[in-house]
Amino acid sequence: MIRTAGTPKSPSPEAARTGNDRSARSALHAAGYRPTVVVADGEAGHPAGGPYDRLLSTASSHHVPGAWVQQVRPGGLIVTPWRTTLATSGMAVLRVTDDGRAQGNFGHPMAFMDLRGQRRDDHSPLRDVYTRDAWDDSRAGPVRSAPHWLDDDYHARFAPGLLLPGVHADRQDIDSGAEPAWWLSTPTSWAYVAGGTARQWGPRDLLDELDQAHDHWTKAGRPDLYRYGLTVTRDGTQRPWLDTPDGLLPEPFSPGVTPARRSGRTRPL
């Protein structure tokens, strides 16, 4: 990256353990490079060296820090791997505007370890929230459609992931030749769908939410992930959009909001 950038104005935050700065410096010096190596919280950036022309993150985020936007000059770029719990690989390419926002489209998916302050367990919370008693107390309902698109279409998975932060999806193979079961989960709720069976438990109706998020993508013409983009302000507020920054997506489902119960009708997006 140093050879390509040719400038000290391109920081690269990454996740690293304390003490790795010495080995990093030694390796870089041995290769003939002498960049500034700082061991600190990567989400805070390095304001002392700014403003920067480029900020290239080699750690994934699901929330672009406002500090990065503040430290990149207007016209500069922020490039970072970006993920949701439904779509675990992605990339945000954001250009900082004169009014202090960073915005741009998502690019070719890639995956890195998470920023230290944004690390999440890639394993779903299902094992913690599901119990046999919860199954007995769960709500049964009709199956509108099994979410096989979670397996078959990454573009379909990416778009609902923008509206369902923190929702995990796990496939369960049952019998040879049988359709798989799908489990959705958050720390407070779970849902199960297989064949003609659907059950949900907890304050959220995750199957309804998934159906609505997928419907929004379908009604938009099934756009690929490259048509989606992100705007991030200096205070770290971020909003995803479709095609243009004016085409904001609906507000993501909130973990603290109880959506409408399954009743044959769904809450419009």
Side-chain angles (χ1 to χ4, degrees):
M1 188 187 76
I2 300 170
R3 183 182 301 167
T4 301
T7 171
K9 289 294 186 180
S10 295
S12 178
E14 63 176 293
R17 295 179 179 177
T18 303
N20 282 6
D21 58 325
R22 291 187 295 274
S23 59
R25 285 192 186 94
S26 297
L28 289 164
H29 291 176
Y33 301 110
R34 294 185 175 274
T36 300
V37 178
V38 177
V39 176
D41 182 357
E43 290 188 71
H46 182 52
Y52 300 105
D53 302 316
R54 303 286 188 271
L55 189 150
L56 310 177
S57 175
T58 52
S60 290
S61 66
H62 58 86
H63 193 280
V64 176
W68 294 2
V69 181
Q70 297 170 26
Q71 293 170 34
V72 174
R73 65 168 179 80
L77 284 176
I78 298 172
V79 181
T80 180
W82 198 90
R83 58 177 290 183
T84 67
T85 44
L86 276 186
T88 56
S89 59
M91 180 174 64
V93 182
L94 312 176
R95 189 172 295 277
V96 177
T97 63
D98 290 336
D99 61 0
R101 293 173 295 162
Q103 59 190 28
N105 288 85
F106 292 106
H108 186 74
M110 61 174 61
F112 284 80
M113 70 178 71
D114 289 347
L115 285 165
R116 188 175 298 278
Q118 298 188 23
R119 286 185 179 174
R120 298 170 294 178
D121 191 347
D122 282 334
H123 297 292
S124 76
L126 183 62
R127 69 184 72 178
D128 298 318
V129 73
Y130 174 83
T131 65
R132 182 65 202 184
D133 288 342
W135 178 270
D136 293 338
D137 293 338
S138 63
R139 303 178 295 278
V143 179
R144 200 184 76 169
S145 61
H148 300 308
W149 48 269
L150 287 169
D151 251 349
D152 302 334
D153 192 333
Y154 189 81
H155 298 284
R157 189 166 183 145
F158 185 87
L162 297 173
L163 299 179
L164 298 170
V167 175
H168 292 255
D170 296 287
R171 170 179 166 150
Q172 179 185 11
D173 293 318
I174 304 174
D175 296 310
S176 178
E179 291 186 353
W182 283 95
W183 293 86
L184 306 174
S185 60
T186 70
T188 64
S189 304
W190 57 260
Y192 170 88
V193 57
T197 300
R199 302 192 74 91
Q200 304 192 84
W201 180 89
R204 297 177 66 174
D205 287 337
L206 296 178
L207 286 176
D208 295 294
E209 294 183 21
L210 187 69
D211 283 346
Q212 292 170 53
H214 186 256
D215 281 349
H216 186 271
W217 176 74
T218 301
K219 291 174 182 177
R222 300 175 178 265
D224 62 43
L225 69 89
Y226 307 110
R227 289 176 55 190
Y228 288 93
L230 191 69
T231 296
V232 186
T233 60
R234 292 173 61 86
D235 65 0
T237 301
Q238 66 177 26
R239 287 294 304 274
W241 40 262
L242 176 63
D243 290 331
T244 70
D246 293 330
L248 291 175
L249 299 187
E251 288 282 356
F253 289 101
S254 169
V257 172
T258 301
R261 296 290 185 212
R262 180 178 291 272
S263 60
R265 295 184 301 172
T266 55
R267 182 182 66 183
L269 283 174

Coordinates of all heavy atoms in Angstrom, one line a residue, residues 167-245:
V167 N -29.6 -9.3 13.0 CA -30.4 -10.5 12.8 C -29.5 -11.6 12.1 O -28.9 -11.4 11.1 CB -31.6 -10.3 11.9 CG1 -32.4 -11.6 11.7 CG2 -32.6 -9.3 12.7
H168 N -29.4 -12.8 12.8 CA -28.6 -13.9 12.2 C -29.5 -14.9 11.5 O -30.7 -15.1 12.0 CB -27.9 -14.6 13.4 CG -26.8 -13.8 14.0 ND1 -25.5 -14.0 13.7 CD2 -26.8 -12.7 14.8 CE1 -24.7 -13.1 14.4 NE2 -25.5 -12.4 15.1
A169 N -29.0 -15.5 10.5 CA -29.8 -16.6 9.8 C -28.9 -17.8 9.7 O -27.7 -17.7 9.3 CB -30.1 -16.1 8.4
D170 N -29.5 -18.9 10.1 CA -28.7 -20.2 10.2 C -29.5 -21.3 9.4 O -30.7 -21.4 9.7 CB -28.5 -20.7 11.6 CG -27.6 -19.7 12.3 OD1 -26.4 -19.7 12.0 OD2 -28.1 -19.0 13.2
R171 N -28.9 -22.0 8.5 CA -29.5 -23.1 7.8 C -29.3 -24.4 8.6 O -28.2 -24.6 9.1 CB -28.9 -23.2 6.4 CG -29.3 -24.5 5.7 CD -28.7 -24.5 4.3 NE -28.8 -25.8 3.7 CZ -28.9 -26.1 2.4 NH1 -28.9 -25.1 1.6 NH2 -29.0 -27.3 2.0
Q172 N -30.4 -25.2 8.6 CA -30.3 -26.5 9.3 C -30.8 -27.6 8.3 O -31.9 -27.6 7.8 CB -31.2 -26.6 10.5 CG -31.2 -27.9 11.2 CD -32.1 -28.0 12.4 OE1 -33.0 -27.1 12.5 NE2 -32.0 -29.0 13.2
D173 N -29.8 -28.4 7.9 CA -30.2 -29.5 7.0 C -30.9 -30.6 7.8 O -30.3 -31.1 8.8 CB -29.0 -30.1 6.3 CG -28.4 -29.1 5.3 OD1 -29.2 -28.4 4.6 OD2 -27.1 -28.9 5.3
I174 N -32.1 -31.1 7.4 CA -32.8 -32.0 8.1 C -32.6 -33.4 7.6 O -32.0 -34.2 8.3 CB -34.3 -31.6 8.1 CG1 -34.5 -30.2 8.6 CG2 -35.2 -32.6 8.9 CD1 -35.9 -29.7 8.5
D175 N -33.2 -33.8 6.5 CA -33.0 -35.1 5.9 C -32.6 -34.9 4.5 O -32.8 -33.9 3.8 CB -34.4 -35.9 5.9 CG -34.8 -36.1 7.4 OD1 -34.0 -36.6 8.2 OD2 -36.0 -35.8 7.7
S176 N -31.9 -36.0 4.0 CA -31.5 -36.0 2.6 C -32.7 -35.8 1.7 O -33.7 -36.5 1.8 CB -30.8 -37.3 2.2 OG -30.4 -37.3 0.9
G177 N -32.6 -34.8 0.8 CA -33.7 -34.6 -0.2 C -34.8 -33.6 0.3 O -35.6 -33.1 -0.4
A178 N -34.8 -33.4 1.7 CA -35.8 -32.5 2.2 C -35.3 -31.0 2.2 O -34.1 -30.8 2.2 CB -36.1 -32.9 3.7
E179 N -36.3 -30.1 2.1 CA -35.9 -28.7 2.2 C -35.3 -28.4 3.5 O -35.7 -28.9 4.6 CB -37.1 -27.8 2.0 CG -37.7 -27.9 0.6 CD -38.8 -26.9 0.4 OE1 -39.2 -26.3 1.4 OE2 -39.3 -26.7 -0.8
P180 N -34.2 -27.6 3.5 CA -33.6 -27.2 4.8 C -34.5 -26.3 5.7 O -35.4 -25.7 5.2 CB -32.4 -26.5 4.4 CG -32.7 -25.9 3.1 CD -33.6 -26.9 2.4
A181 N -34.3 -26.4 7.0 CA -34.9 -25.4 7.9 C -34.1 -24.2 8.0 O -32.9 -24.2 7.8 CB -35.2 -26.1 9.2
W182 N -34.7 -23.1 8.4 CA -34.0 -21.8 8.6 C -34.4 -21.3 10.0 O -35.5 -21.3 10.4 CB -34.3 -20.8 7.5 CG -33.6 -21.0 6.3 CD1 -34.1 -21.7 5.2 CD2 -32.3 -20.6 5.9 NE1 -33.1 -21.7 4.2 CE2 -32.0 -21.1 4.6 CE3 -31.3 -19.9 6.6 CZ2 -30.8 -20.9 4.0 CZ3 -30.1 -19.7 6.0 CH2 -29.8 -20.2 4.7
W183 N -33.3 -20.9 10.7 CA -33.5 -20.2 12.0 C -33.1 -18.8 11.9 O -32.0 -18.5 11.3 CB -32.7 -20.9 13.1 CG -33.1 -22.3 13.4 CD1 -32.7 -23.5 12.8 CD2 -34.0 -22.7 14.5 NE1 -33.3 -24.5 13.4 CE2 -34.0 -24.1 14.5 CE3 -34.6 -22.0 15.5 CZ2 -34.8 -24.8 15.4 CZ3 -35.4 -22.7 16.4 CH2 -35.5 -24.1 16.4
L184 N -33.8 -17.9 12.4 CA -33.4 -16.5 12.6 C -33.3 -16.2 14.0 O -34.1 -16.7 14.8 CB -34.5 -15.5 11.9 CG -34.8 -15.8 10.5 CD1 -36.0 -14.9 10.0 CD2 -33.6 -15.6 9.6
S185 N -32.4 -15.3 14.4 CA -32.2 -15.1 15.9 C -31.6 -13.7 16.1 O -30.8 -13.2 15.3 CB -31.4 -16.2 16.5 OG -30.1 -16.3 16.0
T186 N -32.0 -13.2 17.3 CA -31.3 -12.0 17.9 C -31.1 -12.4 19.4 O -31.6 -13.5 19.8 CB -32.1 -10.8 17.8 OG1 -33.3 -10.9 18.6 CG2 -32.6 -10.5 16.3
P187 N -30.5 -11.6 20.2 CA -30.4 -11.9 21.6 C -31.7 -12.0 22.3 O -31.7 -12.6 23.4 CB -29.5 -10.8 22.1 CG -28.7 -10.4 21.0 CD -29.6 -10.5 19.8
T188 N -32.8 -11.6 21.7 CA -34.1 -11.6 22.5 C -35.2 -12.4 21.8 O -36.2 -12.6 22.4 CB -34.6 -10.2 22.7 OG1 -34.9 -9.6 21.4 CG2 -33.6 -9.3 23.4
S189 N -35.0 -12.8 20.5 CA -36.0 -13.4 19.7 C -35.5 -14.5 18.8 O -34.3 -14.4 18.4 CB -36.8 -12.4 18.9 OG -37.3 -11.3 19.7
W190 N -36.3 -15.4 18.4 CA -35.9 -16.4 17.4 C -37.1 -16.7 16.5 O -38.3 -16.5 16.9 CB -35.3 -17.7 17.9 CG -36.1 -18.4 18.9 CD1 -36.0 -18.4 20.3 CD2 -37.2 -19.4 18.6 NE1 -36.9 -19.3 20.9 CE2 -37.6 -19.9 19.9 CE3 -37.7 -19.8 17.5 CZ2 -38.6 -20.8 20.0 CZ3 -38.8 -20.8 17.5 CH2 -39.2 -21.3 18.8
A191 N -36.9 -17.3 15.3 CA -37.9 -17.8 14.4 C -37.4 -19.0 13.7 O -36.2 -19.2 13.5 CB -38.3 -16.7 13.4
Y192 N -38.3 -19.9 13.4 CA -38.0 -21.1 12.7 C -39.0 -21.3 11.6 O -40.2 -21.1 11.7 CB -38.1 -22.3 13.7 CG -38.1 -23.7 13.1 CD1 -36.8 -24.3 12.9 CD2 -39.2 -24.4 12.7 CE1 -36.8 -25.6 12.4 CE2 -39.2 -25.6 12.2 CZ -37.9 -26.3 12.0 OH -37.9 -27.5 11.5
V193 N -38.5 -21.8 10.4 CA -39.4 -22.1 9.3 C -38.8 -23.3 8.6 O -37.6 -23.4 8.3 CB -39.5 -20.9 8.3 CG1 -38.2 -20.4 7.8 CG2 -40.4 -21.2 7.2
A194 N -39.7 -24.3 8.3 CA -39.3 -25.5 7.5 C -40.6 -26.1 7.0 O -41.5 -26.3 7.8 CB -38.6 -26.5 8.4
G195 N -40.6 -26.4 5.7 CA -41.8 -27.0 5.1 C -43.0 -26.1 5.4 O -43.0 -25.0 5.1
G196 N -44.0 -26.7 6.0 CA -45.2 -25.9 6.3 C -45.3 -25.4 7.7 O -46.3 -25.0 8.2
T197 N -44.1 -25.4 8.4 CA -44.1 -25.0 9.8 C -43.3 -23.7 10.0 O -42.3 -23.5 9.5 CB -43.4 -26.1 10.7 OG1 -44.1 -27.3 10.6 CG2 -43.3 -25.7 12.2
A198 N -44.0 -22.8 10.8 CA -43.3 -21.6 11.1 C -43.6 -21.3 12.6 O -44.8 -21.3 13.0 CB -43.8 -20.4 10.2
R199 N -42.6 -20.9 13.4 CA -42.8 -20.6 14.8 C -41.9 -19.4 15.1 O -40.8 -19.3 14.6 CB -42.5 -21.8 15.7 CG -43.3 -23.0 15.4 CD -43.2 -24.1 16.5 NE -43.9 -23.7 17.7 CZ -45.2 -24.0 17.9 NH1 -45.9 -24.7 17.0 NH2 -45.8 -23.7 19.0
Q200 N -42.4 -18.6 16.0 CA -41.6 -17.4 16.4 C -41.8 -17.2 17.9 O -42.8 -17.5 18.5 CB -42.1 -16.1 15.7 CG -42.1 -16.3 14.1 CD -42.3 -14.9 13.4 OE1 -41.3 -14.2 13.3 NE2 -43.5 -14.7 13.0
W201 N -40.7 -16.7 18.5 CA -40.7 -16.4 19.9 C -40.0 -15.2 20.2 O -38.9 -14.9 19.6 CB -40.1 -17.6 20.7 CG -40.0 -17.5 22.2 CD1 -41.0 -17.9 23.0 CD2 -39.0 -16.9 22.9 NE1 -40.6 -17.6 24.3 CE2 -39.4 -17.0 24.3 CE3 -37.8 -16.3 22.6 CZ2 -38.6 -16.5 25.3 CZ3 -37.0 -15.8 23.6 CH2 -37.4 -15.9 25.0
G202 N -40.4 -14.4 21.3 CA -39.8 -13.2 21.7 C -40.5 -12.0 21.2 O -41.6 -12.1 20.6
P203 N -40.0 -10.8 21.6 CA -40.7 -9.5 21.3 C -40.7 -9.2 19.8 O -41.6 -8.4 19.4 CB -39.9 -8.5 22.1 CG -38.6 -9.1 22.2 CD -38.8 -10.5 22.4
R204 N -39.9 -9.8 19.0 CA -39.8 -9.5 17.5 C -40.4 -10.6 16.7 O -40.2 -11.8 17.1 CB -38.4 -9.1 17.1 CG -37.8 -7.9 17.8 CD -36.4 -7.7 17.4 NE -36.2 -7.3 16.0 CZ -35.1 -6.9 15.4 NH1 -34.0 -6.9 16.2 NH2 -35.0 -6.6 14.1
D205 N -41.1 -10.3 15.6 CA -41.5 -11.3 14.7 C -40.5 -11.3 13.5 O -40.7 -10.6 12.5 CB -42.9 -11.0 14.2 CG -44.0 -11.3 15.2 OD1 -43.7 -12.1 16.1 OD2 -45.1 -10.7 15.1
L206 N -39.5 -12.1 13.7 CA -38.3 -12.0 12.7 C -38.7 -12.5 11.3 O -38.2 -12.0 10.4 CB -37.2 -12.8 13.3 CG -36.6 -12.3 14.6 CD1 -35.4 -13.2 15.1 CD2 -36.1 -10.8 14.4
L207 N -39.6 -13.5 11.2 CA -40.0 -13.9 9.9 C -40.7 -12.8 9.2 O -40.6 -12.6 8.0 CB -40.9 -15.2 10.0 CG -40.2 -16.5 10.3 CD1 -41.2 -17.6 10.5 CD2 -39.1 -16.8 9.3
D208 N -41.6 -12.1 9.9 CA -42.3 -11.0 9.3 C -41.3 -9.9 8.8 O -41.4 -9.4 7.7 CB -43.3 -10.4 10.2 CG -44.4 -11.3 10.6 OD1 -45.2 -11.7 9.7 OD2 -44.4 -11.8 11.8
E209 N -40.4 -9.6 9.7 CA -39.4 -8.6 9.3 C -38.6 -9.0 8.1 O -38.3 -8.2 7.2 CB -38.5 -8.4 10.5 CG -39.1 -7.7 11.7 CD -38.2 -7.5 12.8 OE1 -36.9 -7.3 12.6 OE2 -38.6 -7.3 14.0
L210 N -38.2 -10.3 8.0 CA -37.4 -10.8 6.9 C -38.3 -10.7 5.6 O -37.8 -10.3 4.6 CB -37.0 -12.2 7.2 CG -36.0 -12.8 6.1 CD1 -34.6 -12.1 6.2 CD2 -35.8 -14.3 6.3
D211 N -39.5 -11.1 5.7 CA -40.4 -11.0 4.6 C -40.5 -9.6 4.1 O -40.5 -9.3 2.9 CB -41.8 -11.6 4.9 CG -41.9 -13.1 5.0 OD1 -41.0 -13.7 4.5 OD2 -42.9 -13.6 5.5
Q212 N -40.7 -8.7 5.0 CA -40.9 -7.3 4.6 C -39.6 -6.7 4.0 O -39.7 -6.0 3.0 CB -41.3 -6.5 5.8 CG -42.7 -6.8 6.3 CD -43.0 -6.1 7.7 OE1 -42.8 -4.9 7.8 NE2 -43.4 -6.9 8.7
A213 N -38.5 -7.0 4.5 CA -37.2 -6.6 4.0 C -37.0 -7.2 2.6 O -36.5 -6.5 1.7 CB -36.1 -6.9 4.9
H214 N -37.3 -8.4 2.4 CA -37.2 -9.1 1.1 C -38.2 -8.5 0.1 O -37.8 -8.2 -1.1 CB -37.3 -10.6 1.2 CG -37.1 -11.3 -0.1 ND1 -38.1 -11.8 -0.9 CD2 -35.9 -11.6 -0.7 CE1 -37.6 -12.4 -1.9 NE2 -36.3 -12.3 -1.8
D215 N -39.4 -8.2 0.6 CA -40.4 -7.5 -0.3 C -39.9 -6.2 -0.8 O -40.1 -5.8 -2.0 CB -41.7 -7.3 0.5 CG -42.5 -8.6 0.5 OD1 -42.2 -9.6 -0.2 OD2 -43.5 -8.6 1.3
H216 N -39.2 -5.4 0.1 CA -38.7 -4.1 -0.3 C -37.7 -4.3 -1.4 O -37.7 -3.5 -2.4 CB -38.1 -3.4 0.9 CG -37.7 -2.0 0.6 ND1 -36.5 -1.7 0.2 CD2 -38.4 -0.8 0.7 CE1 -36.4 -0.4 0.0 NE2 -37.5 0.2 0.3
W217 N -36.9 -5.3 -1.3 CA -35.9 -5.5 -2.3 C -36.5 -5.9 -3.7 O -36.2 -5.5 -4.7 CB -34.9 -6.6 -1.9 CG -33.8 -7.0 -2.9 CD1 -32.8 -6.3 -3.3 CD2 -33.8 -8.2 -3.6 NE1 -32.0 -7.0 -4.2 CE2 -32.7 -8.2 -4.4 CE3 -34.6 -9.3 -3.6 CZ2 -32.3 -9.2 -5.2 CZ3 -34.3 -10.4 -4.4 CH2 -33.1 -10.3 -5.2
T218 N -37.5 -6.8 -3.6 CA -38.2 -7.3 -4.8 C -38.9 -6.2 -5.5 O -38.9 -6.0 -6.7 CB -39.2 -8.4 -4.4 OG1 -38.5 -9.5 -3.7 CG2 -39.9 -9.0 -5.6
K219 N -39.7 -5.4 -4.7 CA -40.4 -4.3 -5.3 C -39.5 -3.2 -5.9 O -39.9 -2.5 -6.8 CB -41.3 -3.6 -4.3 CG -42.5 -4.5 -3.8 CD -43.3 -4.0 -2.7 CE -44.4 -4.9 -2.2 NZ -45.1 -4.4 -1.0
A220 N -38.3 -3.1 -5.5 CA -37.3 -2.2 -6.0 C -36.7 -2.7 -7.3 O -35.9 -2.0 -8.0 CB -36.2 -1.9 -5.0
G221 N -37.1 -3.9 -7.8 CA -36.6 -4.5 -9.0 C -35.4 -5.4 -8.8 O -34.7 -5.7 -9.7
R222 N -35.2 -6.0 -7.6 CA -34.2 -6.9 -7.3 C -32.8 -6.3 -7.6 O -32.0 -6.9 -8.3 CB -34.4 -8.2 -8.0 CG -35.6 -8.9 -7.6 CD -35.9 -10.2 -8.4 NE -37.1 -10.9 -7.9 CZ -37.1 -11.9 -7.0 NH1 -36.0 -12.3 -6.5 NH2 -38.3 -12.4 -6.7
P223 N -32.5 -5.1 -7.1 CA -31.2 -4.5 -7.5 C -30.0 -5.2 -6.9 O -30.1 -5.8 -5.8 CB -31.3 -3.1 -6.9 CG -32.3 -3.2 -5.8 CD -33.3 -4.3 -6.3
D224 N -28.9 -5.2 -7.6 CA -27.7 -5.8 -7.1 C -27.1 -4.9 -6.0 O -27.4 -3.7 -5.9 CB -26.7 -6.2 -8.2 CG -26.2 -5.0 -9.0 OD1 -25.9 -4.0 -8.3 OD2 -26.1 -5.1 -10.2
L225 N -26.2 -5.5 -5.3 CA -25.6 -4.7 -4.1 C -24.9 -3.5 -4.5 O -24.8 -2.5 -3.8 CB -24.7 -5.6 -3.3 CG -23.4 -6.1 -3.8 CD1 -22.3 -5.1 -3.5 CD2 -23.0 -7.5 -3.3
Y226 N -24.4 -3.4 -5.8 CA -23.6 -2.3 -6.2 C -24.4 -1.0 -6.4 O -23.9 0.1 -6.5 CB -22.9 -2.6 -7.5 CG -22.0 -3.9 -7.4 CD1 -22.4 -5.0 -8.1 CD2 -20.9 -3.9 -6.6 CE1 -21.7 -6.2 -8.0 CE2 -20.2 -5.1 -6.5 CZ -20.6 -6.2 -7.2 OH -19.9 -7.4 -7.1
R227 N -25.8 -1.2 -6.5 CA -26.6 0.0 -6.6 C -26.9 0.6 -5.2 O -27.5 1.7 -5.1 CB -27.9 -0.4 -7.3 CG -27.8 -0.7 -8.8 CD -29.1 -1.1 -9.4 NE -30.2 -0.2 -9.2 CZ -31.5 -0.5 -9.4 NH1 -31.8 -1.7 -9.9 NH2 -32.4 0.4 -9.2
Y228 N -26.6 -0.1 -4.2 CA -26.8 0.4 -2.8 C -25.6 1.3 -2.4 O -24.4 1.0 -2.9 CB -27.0 -0.7 -1.8 CG -28.4 -1.3 -2.0 CD1 -28.5 -2.5 -2.8 CD2 -29.5 -0.8 -1.4 CE1 -29.8 -3.1 -2.9 CE2 -30.7 -1.4 -1.5 CZ -30.9 -2.5 -2.3 OH -32.1 -3.1 -2.5
G229 N -25.8 2.2 -1.5 CA -24.8 3.1 -1.0 C -25.0 3.5 0.4 O -26.0 3.1 1.0
L230 N -24.1 4.3 0.9 CA -24.1 4.7 2.3 C -23.7 6.1 2.4 O -22.8 6.6 1.8 CB -23.1 3.8 3.1 CG -23.2 3.8 4.6 CD1 -24.5 3.2 5.1 CD2 -22.0 3.1 5.2
T231 N -24.4 6.8 3.3 CA -24.0 8.2 3.7 C -23.7 8.2 5.2 O -24.5 7.7 6.0 CB -25.1 9.2 3.4 OG1 -25.3 9.3 2.0 CG2 -24.7 10.6 3.9
V232 N -22.5 8.8 5.5 CA -22.1 8.9 6.9 C -21.8 10.3 7.2 O -21.0 11.0 6.5 CB -20.8 8.0 7.2 CG1 -20.5 8.0 8.7 CG2 -21.1 6.6 6.7
T233 N -22.3 10.8 8.3 CA -22.0 12.2 8.7 C -20.9 12.3 9.7 O -20.4 11.2 10.2 CB -23.3 12.8 9.4 OG1 -23.7 12.1 10.5 CG2 -24.4 12.8 8.4
R234 N -20.4 13.5 10.0 CA -19.3 13.6 10.9 C -19.5 13.1 12.3 O -18.6 12.8 13.0 CB -18.9 15.1 11.0 CG -18.4 15.7 9.7 CD -18.2 17.2 9.7 NE -17.2 17.6 10.7 CZ -15.9 17.7 10.6 NH1 -15.4 17.3 9.4 NH2 -15.1 18.1 11.5
D235 N -20.8 13.0 12.7 CA -21.1 12.5 14.1 C -21.3 11.0 14.0 O -21.7 10.4 15.1 CB -22.3 13.2 14.7 CG -23.6 12.9 13.9 OD1 -23.6 12.2 12.9 OD2 -24.6 13.5 14.3
G236 N -21.1 10.4 12.9 CA -21.2 8.9 12.8 C -22.6 8.4 12.4 O -22.8 7.2 12.3
T237 N -23.5 9.3 12.2 CA -24.9 8.8 11.7 C -24.7 8.3 10.3 O -24.1 8.9 9.5 CB -25.9 10.0 11.7 OG1 -26.0 10.5 13.1 CG2 -27.2 9.5 11.3
Q238 N -25.3 7.1 10.1 CA -25.2 6.5 8.7 C -26.5 6.0 8.3 O -27.3 5.5 9.0 CB -24.1 5.4 8.7 CG -24.5 4.1 9.5 CD -23.4 3.0 9.3 OE1 -22.2 3.3 9.0 NE2 -23.8 1.8 9.5
R239 N -26.8 6.2 7.0 CA -28.0 5.8 6.3 C -27.7 5.1 5.0 O -27.0 5.7 4.2 CB -29.0 7.0 6.1 CG -29.6 7.5 7.4 CD -30.6 6.6 8.0 NE -31.6 6.1 7.1 CZ -32.8 6.7 6.9 NH1 -33.0 7.8 7.6 NH2 -33.7 6.2 6.1
P240 N -28.2 3.9 4.8 CA -28.1 3.3 3.5 C -29.1 3.8 2.5 O -30.2 4.3 2.9 CB -28.3 1.8 3.8 CG -29.2 1.8 4.9 CD -28.9 3.0 5.7
W241 N -28.8 3.8 1.2 CA -29.7 4.2 0.2 C -29.6 3.4 -1.1 O -28.6 2.6 -1.2 CB -29.4 5.7 -0.2 CG -28.0 6.2 -0.2 CD1 -27.3 6.8 0.8 CD2 -27.1 6.1 -1.3 NE1 -26.0 7.1 0.3 CE2 -25.9 6.7 -0.9 CE3 -27.2 5.6 -2.6 CZ2 -24.7 6.7 -1.8 CZ3 -26.1 5.6 -3.5 CH2 -24.9 6.2 -3.1
L242 N -30.5 3.6 -2.0 CA -30.5 2.9 -3.3 C -30.4 3.9 -4.4 O -31.2 4.9 -4.5 CB -31.8 2.1 -3.4 CG -32.0 1.4 -4.8 CD1 -31.0 0.3 -5.0 CD2 -33.4 0.7 -4.8
D243 N -29.4 3.7 -5.3 CA -29.1 4.5 -6.5 C -28.6 5.9 -6.2 O -27.6 6.2 -6.8 CB -30.4 4.5 -7.4 CG -30.7 3.2 -8.0 OD1 -29.8 2.4 -8.2 OD2 -31.9 3.0 -8.2
T244 N -29.2 6.7 -5.4 CA -28.7 8.0 -5.1 C -28.9 8.3 -3.6 O -29.7 7.7 -3.0 CB -29.5 9.1 -5.9 OG1 -30.8 9.2 -5.4 CG2 -29.6 8.8 -7.4
P245 N -28.1 9.2 -3.1 CA -28.3 9.5 -1.6 C -29.7 10.0 -1.2 O -30.0 9.9 0.0 CB -27.2 10.6 -1.4 CG -26.2 10.3 -2.4 CD -26.9 9.9 -3.7

